[in-house]
Amino acid sequence: QVQLVESGGGLVQPGGSLRLSCAASGRIFGINVMGWYRLTPGKERELVATITSGGSTNYANSAKGRFIISRDNTKNTVYLQMNSLKPEDTAVYYCKGDLLYSGPRDRQIYWGRGTQVTVSS
C-alpha cells in the first residue's frame, strides 16, 4: 500500500509563511513527478507547483515568486515553502505523486488526503 501524507497546514496571518510536507510511504519502486494542488470551495482543484525527479519545477502564476517546491528523494518527500501568503491562498492543499510501485512498469497516480491552509488576520 502506497500512501501520501501531508502535514504543515494551519492558520497564518497575511504576509506569513508556511511549509507543507508530503511523505510517500509503502512499496515504492520510484517516484516521477510530485506536485501540490489546492482546492477552494466553489472552484476546481488547481495546480500550485510540480517537481520532477530531476528537480525541474513548474509553478502556477499565482505561486511564482512566493512559493518554492522542493523534494528529498532519499526521504520520498516533497515540500512546499509558501511565503507572503494572501487570504486567497486559503484552500485545502493536496499532494500528488506519479509513482512506480513494485516495479518499473507499475505506474500509478496517488493523492494525499489534503491539509488545510487558512490565511486570515
Side-chain angles (χ1 to χ4, degrees):
Q1 293 279 349
V2 174
Q3 284 187 317
L4 300 183
V5 179
E6 302 100 335
S7 61
L11 173 64
V12 64
Q13 292 186 343
S17 298
L18 280 176
R19 188 191 194 207
L20 306 182
S21 299
C22 171
S25 63
R27 192 175 180 183
I28 299 171
F29 183 82
I31 301 178
N32 296 323
V33 180
M34 295 192 78
W36 290 95
Y37 293 72
R38 66 187 184 187
L39 181 63
T40 304
K43 296 184 179 179
E44 294 185 357
R45 185 159 52 188
E46 62 175 348
L47 177 147
V48 177
T50 61
I51 184 167
T52 69
S53 58
S56 296
T57 58
N58 179 51
Y59 293 92
N61 287 334
S62 59
K64 289 179 181 177
R66 298 188 300 127
F67 295 180
I68 301 172
I69 188 170
S70 61
R71 63 191 283 173
D72 184 337
N73 292 330
T74 65
K75 297 180 179 180
N76 291 337
T77 299
V78 64
Y79 306 96
L80 186 68
Q81 177 66 43
M82 303 188 294
N83 302 316
S84 303
L85 282 161
K86 305 174 182 180
E88 50 264 43
D89 294 318
T90 296
V92 179
Y93 284 72
Y94 295 90
C95 175
K96 176 184 176 182
D98 181 351
L99 308 181
L100 301 174
Y101 66 97
S102 300
R105 298 180 181 179
D106 300 322
R107 181 180 177 183
Q108 190 163 327
I109 301 297
Y110 293 88
W111 289 90
R113 293 187 174 184
T115 184
Q116 176 70 46
V117 172
T118 302
V119 185
S120 175
S121 55

